[in-house]
Amino acid sequence: MHNLYTITFSPTGTSQLAADRIAEAFETKPVSVDLCQEVSGEIQIEPDSVCILSAPCYGGRIPETAVERLSHIRGNGAAAIVCVTYGNRAYEDALLELADCAKTAGCRVIAGCAAVGEHNIMHIYGTGRPDASDLDELHQFAVQAARKIEAGLAEEPVLPGNRPYKERHVSTMKILTDENTCKSCGLCAAKCPVRAISDDGRHVDETLCIGCMRCIKICPEKCRKIPEELVSGLIQRVGKACEGRKANEFYL
Ligand SMILES: Cc1cc2nc3c(=O)[nH]c(=O)nc-3n(C[C@H](O)[C@H](O)[C@H](O)COP(=O)(O)O)c2cc1C
Ligand code: SF4
Ligand code: SF4
């Protein structure tokens, strides 16, 4: 193997955690490509490398920003393990779409998984996941994927999902800032994957915001949130589908 890469779009860290856990099975330090940062030009991957591509499921799809940034990758035939994380509802066409992105970028998809994480909007679902048992499952999967690569087996797994993919629902998400507690530190503005926040942190451009929840998670003053009624409305609409403990799914 030439190099090991984790290529992730992970606004609130779950997909990064899953990718890092998978990478551990390879016992070599991965090169990290963070697609939450803007990408210009091509990202060249050496042939014989292994790429772990990971992103969250948004409405059964991969976030459009991730799709665009993945298009900068030049896989040059590297082996790819694709991983979506989702908040215990469903991942529908997201894993298939991520695999298609990897293939379009010139990678060979040899394994895929859908891992359950805490829902970063409705935190009552998938709470605390991935937990120790999830991380163990991810490790076992990664060991098998590594063996497959080592044995030179290039067979592409059959992944669930449909083409054409589910229609993308672009809904604007209102992000509220408590102006009394915001210290204008600028952290949220610097870390917003789509630069939707003014430098002083006080204004969000709703036409740019993708509702990724990163600024809410990272604000040290905890002064950002989405309206309570939005969360309760969502729980009313899709809560039933999020109940119970969903299993991680692995494809080799
Ligand atoms: C805009 C948005 C849409 C989401 N859609 C889904 C979904 O369709 N199904 C699901 O189970 N979880 C959904 N989630 C939850 C995320 O997929 C889940 O929390 C994921 O692990 C977050 O990944 P990250 O921490 O790498 O950003 C959604 C979250 C957001 C912010
Ligand atoms: S991270 Fe929080 S305190 Fe800092 S600018 Fe953003 S909202 Fe204000
Ligand atoms: S402003 Fe929107 S896109 Fe930017 S970090 Fe916050 S939720 Fe994500």
Side-chain angles (χ1 to χ4, degrees):
M1 177 176 56
H2 196 103
N3 261 324
L4 176 67
Y5 288 86
T6 57
I7 302 175
T8 57
F9 182 81
S10 183
T12 61
T14 313
S15 310
Q16 184 69 54
L17 181 65
D20 289 343
R21 185 63 182 146
I22 293 168
E24 276 169 27
F26 289 84
E27 291 169 358
T28 174
K29 200 173 154 22
V31 177
S32 169
V33 177
D34 178 8
L35 299 180
C36 279
Q37 292 179 11
E38 274 172 56
V39 180
S40 63
E42 297 178 346
I43 302 168
Q44 288 288 348
I45 307 294
E46 307 82 2
D48 293 332
S49 294
V50 174
C51 301
I52 300 157
L53 293 106
S54 186
C57 164
Y58 286 2
R61 300 284 303 273
I62 295 300
E64 228 171 344
T65 312
V67 173
E68 193 284 315
R69 292 180 186 172
L70 284 163
S71 75
H72 290 255
I73 292 168
R74 299 292 172 265
N76 298 309
I81 300 170
V82 289
C83 168
V84 293
T85 68
Y86 73 107
N88 207 59
R89 184 189 68 78
Y91 61 93
E92 287 137 336
D93 303 330
L95 185 59
L96 187 69
E97 186 177 17
L98 181 59
D100 286 346
C101 289
K103 287 192 283 180
T104 304
C107 295
R108 289 177 296 118
V109 175
I110 62 98
C113 71
V116 179
E118 178 165 320
H119 201 296
N120 57 1
I121 303 175
M122 302 179 285
H123 292 275
I124 56 169
Y125 302 115
T127 313
R129 296 185 75 185
D131 57 22
S133 133
D134 294 319
L135 293 174
D136 192 45
E137 285 182 26
L138 279 168
H139 180 72
Q140 298 306 329
F141 159 71
V143 167
Q144 283 179 276
R147 281 198 196 123
K148 185 173 173 181
I149 294 166
E150 219 170 287
L153 301 172
E155 196 188 328
E156 192 183 327
V158 178
L159 302 174
N162 295 301
R163 298 186 194 92
Y165 314 127
K166 222 185 139 184
E167 204 180 317
R168 228 181 255 289
H169 290 287
V170 185
S171 50
T172 49
M173 190 93 69
K174 186 129 194 86
I175 308 288
L176 306 173
T177 312
D178 182 342
E179 304 234 344
N180 296 318
T181 51
C182 172
K183 294 211 163 36
S184 285
C185 70
L187 181 70
C188 56
K191 295 284 183 185
C192 172
V194 292
R195 295 182 173 266
I197 307 175
S198 61
D199 287 346
D200 63 2
R202 289 178 179 251
H203 305 285
V204 175
D205 183 339
E206 284 178 23
T207 63
L208 295 177
C209 172
I210 57 168
C212 72
M213 305 293 117
R214 177 177 260 196
C215 56
I216 294 172
K217 180 160 186 186
I218 64 168
C219 172
E221 308 302 324
K222 298 272 167 265
C223 59
R224 302 185 87 94
K225 60 175 185 176
I226 46 173
E228 291 295 336
E229 58 274 19
L230 196 148
V231 181
S232 53
L234 205 56
I235 291 173
Q236 246 175 13
R237 259 195 314 120
V238 301
K240 264 255 159 298
C242 301
E243 284 171 5
R245 184 183 170 95
K246 301 269 160 63
N248 304 305
E249 291 177 0
F250 300 103
Y251 304 91
L252 280 151

